[in-house]
Amino acid sequence: MWDTIVYLLKVIFISAILYGHYLLIMRNSAGHTWNRFYLLGIFFASILIPLVQAPAFFSAVNPLHDVSDAVLISEGTETSITTEAGAGTSPAYRAAVVYGYLAVCLFFLVSLLMSFYRVAKLWRTGQKATVNNISIVSSTGKGTPFSFFSFIFWNKHIDMESDTGRKILLHEMTHMRQLHSLDRLLVNLVMIVAWINPVFWLVRRELFIIHEFIADAASVENHDADAFARMLLTAAFPVQYHNVTSHFFTSSIKRRLTMLTQQQKTRFGYIGRLLTLPLALLIFAAFSTAGKSNTRQEPVLPEGIGSIVPASLAQDTVIASFPGGKRAWVHYIKGIVDQHLDTLGDYGISGTIVVAFTVDENGSLSEFKTTKDDIPFLSELVTKALKEGPKWVPATVEGKNVKSIFKQPVTFRIDE
């Protein structure tokens, strides 16, 4: 469950950063088509980036490279952490959280299916015709006029031959040709499972407004505010209830009118687009999972130095150690592991990891690397504990502090 929470937080942070960039630089720019695809990209980038395995040079955990300046390598005594089954968060509580989340997902799924049902009902009961290779379904149903993929659902009370009627028709044809219904369908499918992210709701609303900007610009010549107002009055403010259809009337009328009539300044829009790529690379580096291409390789050691200290050094050599010795190390790492028993339990009842790292002459730790990884989350937990923990007692050779490599095994086990 902990992994799921971390993933969700990453999705929220990524979407918030990307949407914040949009609000600050791109929101009222003239590039509506660019903004449309940028907003769509927020959904998919936020969901996929935390799942992508980044190359090693993007990883926040540096692989252990050539350490020829290290004098020796040593391995600590295996730390065994055993807990009883059922320790940690109550399974009933976790089940309640999961079922609650799934219940909300089901609600949004049913809402989407009901939208399709209502559209299908209008299609069955409406009068069908083809005008200039466009499928028109005429009715007096709520929400008309609106477009849905290759269909335009028209309100019988609007004269299609009038100047205003032609503008409304062109408006809906723009929605149809630009595949705005596909955008809406994809976004609503994503929201079924990603409803828990509040930023996605803001992005969704902004995307639907951008659809209207695009259609307004195509249907109103010379940014004519009077023609736009007549279109609104003619449409008679229908009630909206179709999640996947593109409606002529929305609640963003004031902003649509502003965007239609104002003189656009495109310089900041261009700047925003140029900044998108470096921003995406920074987000990818910060939130993607660490690459594992090097995790199974043993560190490159100085010639003649093995996993056991050479005999020539054995008499006057002291290996690096946690301050306070083995007992203090076990107490320290067990206290951290106990805080994450639920997540560790998700990986099974037992597993061993080995984290290798260098201990500098002053006791500072660096160059962390996992050489055995039965439980990935335990590897992350131990690595973080080492990074944020106290300095170690450095290794010594003939009484002099030296740089060394230390390999610390940790075993986690649940007794049934």
Side-chain angles (χ1 to χ4, degrees), residues 176-215:
M176 182 184 70
R177 291 169 177 168
Q178 296 260 347
L179 299 179
H180 291 170
S181 291
L182 180 60
D183 290 4
R184 288 172 172 263
L185 178 59
L186 290 174
V187 168
N188 280 291
L189 287 173
V190 169
M191 294 305 297
I192 290 174
V193 294
W195 59 266
I196 200 168
N197 182 356
V199 181
F200 278 177
W201 290 102
L202 299 175
V203 178
R204 175 181 179 268
R205 179 178 180 275
E206 184 68 17
L207 175 64
F208 295 169
I209 293 175
I210 292 295
H211 287 169
E212 299 307 319
F213 291 166
I214 294 172

Side-chain angles (χ1 to χ4, degrees), residues 198-351:
V199 181
F200 278 177
W201 290 102
L202 299 175
V203 178
R204 175 181 179 268
R205 179 178 180 275
E206 184 68 17
L207 175 64
F208 295 169
I209 293 175
I210 292 295
H211 287 169
E212 299 307 319
F213 291 166
I214 294 172
D216 290 342
S219 58
V220 180
E221 300 90 347
N222 302 318
H223 308 291
D224 188 342
D226 290 337
F228 181 72
R230 287 194 297 271
M231 289 169 62
L232 296 182
L233 293 173
T234 304
F237 306 103
V239 178
Q240 300 177 65
Y241 63 91
H242 302 300
N243 290 335
V244 293
T245 55
S246 298
H247 293 267
F248 176 77
F249 177 78
T250 68
S251 58
S252 55
I253 297 301
K254 181 178 179 180
R255 189 172 165 210
R256 286 169 62 184
L257 183 59
T258 300
M259 292 299 296
L260 189 66
T261 57
Q262 72 177 358
Q263 294 294 322
Q264 295 292 334
K265 296 180 180 180
T266 59
R267 182 176 61 182
F268 291 107
Y270 292 141
I271 293 174
R273 297 171 202 175
L274 290 174
L275 291 176
T276 300
L277 181 58
L279 177 64
L281 290 174
L282 286 174
I283 291 173
F284 182 76
F287 292 98
S288 61
T289 58
K292 295 182 178 294
S293 58
N294 293 320
T295 57
R296 296 296 179 181
Q297 300 175 5
E298 290 296 323
V300 179
L301 304 176
E303 185 177 355
I305 303 297
S307 59
I308 301 176
V309 179
S312 60
L313 300 178
Q315 293 182 350
D316 298 312
T317 298
V318 179
I319 65 172
S321 61
F322 187 82
K326 177 184 176 182
R327 186 183 297 272
W329 162 251
V330 172
H331 177 76
Y332 172 70
I333 196 63
K334 189 176 187 302
I336 293 174
V337 169
D338 284 345
Q339 300 173 26
H340 302 87
L341 293 179
D342 290 328
T343 302
L344 287 167
D346 292 340
Y347 287 92
I349 62 173
S350 66

Side-chain angles (χ1 to χ4, degrees), residues 51-72:
L51 300 175
V52 174
Q53 191 175 95
F57 56 84
F58 275 121
S59 174
V61 179
N62 297 322
L64 205 57
H65 297 299
D66 186 358
V67 286
S68 57
D69 57 339
V71 174
L72 57 91

